[in-house]
Amino acid sequence: MAKNRWLLMAVAMMLTMHMSAQFPGGFGNFGQMAKRQAQQKAAEAEKNYQKGNEFLEAQKYDKAFAAYEKAAENGHAGAQYNIGTFYVEGKVVPQDISKAVEWFEKAANQGLKDAQFNLASIYHQGAGVPKDEQKAEYWAKVYKDIIKLEVKKEEQPQFPFPPRQMEPVVEAPDVQAEFEGGQQALMTWLSQNMQYPEEAQKDNAQGRVIVSFIVNKDGSIDEVKVMKSIHPALDEEAARVVKSMPKWTPGKKDGKPVRVRYSLPISFRMAVPETEKSDAAAEKQE
């Protein structure tokens, strides 16, 4: 922001799936080990999630629920959402909308759009929980990034909510998903749409936030997560701008669109004001 004499420099680069590419300087052995553990955990969660989908398709609801629980424990947003639907429908477990909301919130906090939409609608309708327009408005803002609650009545989902039987994330697509126009266009879009939070400026916070997200088959962005944090305000801004990105060109496998996961490092740096640069140069000359 010019009036604050701060210059935002947002530098973004796309990485390969699950952060497999190395960053300049590397993370060291500890970082590599942590990365491998995270990848194994995510792979195990995805495996259990797909098992749950198979059991669900076969109407073996008890086995589906058990598989989703294992995936949810490892942070799988789709599994968390599906557990919520089990509590809504009263399958395997007694119907409990409060518990459904808890699971929807876990998925929603990971950026799952269906869960965010459902929470806005549930609180707006008072469907199974006390009506709460404040919470409804909050989740509507997260879902649509809007100022006012604008969930139209005809758009509100009706109980029961269908479980998400999402197709798996493809680890090695033949064609990578891409921001429309390529990497340079992505960097330009980020620099034009990001802001440097005043709170972070006051704390002199800067550095690189790493945001992970899924590019769906239709190019939409889903399951946005901050993987590396540097400051709450910068984390929030990085996640916000990623969620607001326009649709990407989806990745492809065997000529067909597939879901892929990307990790995007976004750097926040505050430039030294021109007056301070001049003073430093003058001191050096003396």
Side-chain angles (χ1 to χ4, degrees), residues 132-146:
D132 191 325
E133 290 297 342
Q134 185 175 1
K135 289 183 178 179
E137 184 175 353
Y138 169 79
W139 285 113
K141 285 180 180 179
V142 174
Y143 174 71
K144 291 188 175 181
D145 195 24
I146 59 176

Side-chain angles (χ1 to χ4, degrees), residues 176-198:
Q176 296 280 13
E178 184 180 53
F179 186 87
E180 190 69 33
Q183 183 176 343
Q184 186 58 49
L186 171 60
M187 295 172 66
T188 300
W189 189 90
L190 288 172
S191 65
Q192 292 175 346
N193 288 274
M194 289 174 61
Q195 300 177 5
Y196 216 118
E198 291 185 7

Side-chain angles (χ1 to χ4, degrees), residues 18 42 45-46 49-50 71 74-81 106-116 164-169 210-216 220-227 239 242-243 259-263:
H18 286 295
E46 183 66 30
Y49 175 72
Q50 294 304 326
N74 284 328
H76 196 290
Q80 292 168 346
Y81 178 94
K106 290 180 181 180
N109 284 327
Q110 292 199 65
L112 200 65
K113 306 302 288 184
D114 286 358
Q116 295 164 359
R164 290 169 60 96
Q165 295 192 55
M166 297 183 298
E167 295 184 22
V169 174
I210 298 178
V211 181
S212 171
F213 57 93
I214 286 177
V215 181
N216 287 319
S220 61
I221 304 302
D222 209 350
E223 298 188 38
V224 178
K225 305 177 187 178
V226 173
M227 304 301 291
V242 169
K243 291 176 183 177
R259 301 176 73 237
V260 299
R261 191 188 310 276
Y262 263 88
S263 291

Side-chain angles (χ1 to χ4, degrees), residues 11-217:
V11 181
M13 59 179 289
M14 288 188 292
L15 305 181
T16 55
M17 312 304 293
H18 286 295
M19 299 168 60
S20 60
Q22 297 294 317
F23 297 109
F27 288 109
N29 292 335
F30 179 79
Q32 289 297 320
M33 182 173 65
K35 182 174 67 175
R36 286 194 296 271
Q37 290 175 342
Q39 289 174 337
Q40 291 172 355
K41 185 177 180 180
E44 184 66 21
E46 183 66 30
K47 181 180 178 180
N48 282 314
Y49 175 72
Q50 294 304 326
K51 283 184 178 179
N53 287 345
E54 292 173 5
F55 287 131
L56 187 68
E57 186 70 24
Q59 298 185 357
K60 297 179 180 179
Y61 300 118
D62 55 340
K63 292 184 177 181
F65 185 84
Y68 288 144
E69 270 195 318
K70 290 180 181 179
E73 288 172 0
N74 284 328
H76 196 290
Q80 292 168 346
Y81 178 94
N82 283 1
I83 290 176
T85 68
F86 271 83
Y87 278 110
V88 169
E89 297 182 348
K91 286 182 177 178
V92 183
V93 292
Q95 186 181 57
D96 190 328
I97 305 304
S98 295
K99 286 188 177 180
V101 166
E102 289 179 11
W103 284 106
F104 286 151
E105 285 183 345
K106 290 180 181 180
N109 284 327
Q110 292 199 65
L112 200 65
K113 306 302 288 184
D114 286 358
Q116 295 164 359
F117 181 77
N118 287 351
L119 288 168
S121 299
I122 289 170
Y123 283 119
H124 187 51
Q125 296 177 72
V129 295
K131 190 171 183 178
D132 191 325
E133 290 297 342
Q134 185 175 1
K135 289 183 178 179
E137 184 175 353
Y138 169 79
W139 285 113
K141 285 180 180 179
V142 174
Y143 174 71
K144 291 188 175 181
D145 195 24
I146 59 176
I147 302 302
K148 297 180 180 180
L149 178 63
E150 296 180 358
V151 180
K152 297 180 180 179
K153 185 174 181 180
E154 60 270 20
E155 293 178 349
Q156 293 172 357
Q158 300 297 316
F159 291 103
F161 299 130
R164 290 169 60 96
Q165 295 192 55
M166 297 183 298
E167 295 184 22
V169 174
V170 174
E171 301 295 339
D174 299 329
V175 180
Q176 296 280 13
E178 184 180 53
F179 186 87
E180 190 69 33
Q183 183 176 343
Q184 186 58 49
L186 171 60
M187 295 172 66
T188 300
W189 189 90
L190 288 172
S191 65
Q192 292 175 346
N193 288 274
M194 289 174 61
Q195 300 177 5
Y196 216 118
E198 291 185 7
E199 181 183 347
Q201 293 182 27
K202 291 178 182 178
D203 293 342
N204 195 32
Q206 53 187 340
R208 183 171 55 192
V209 180
I210 298 178
V211 181
S212 171
F213 57 93
I214 286 177
V215 181
N216 287 319
K217 292 170 62 175

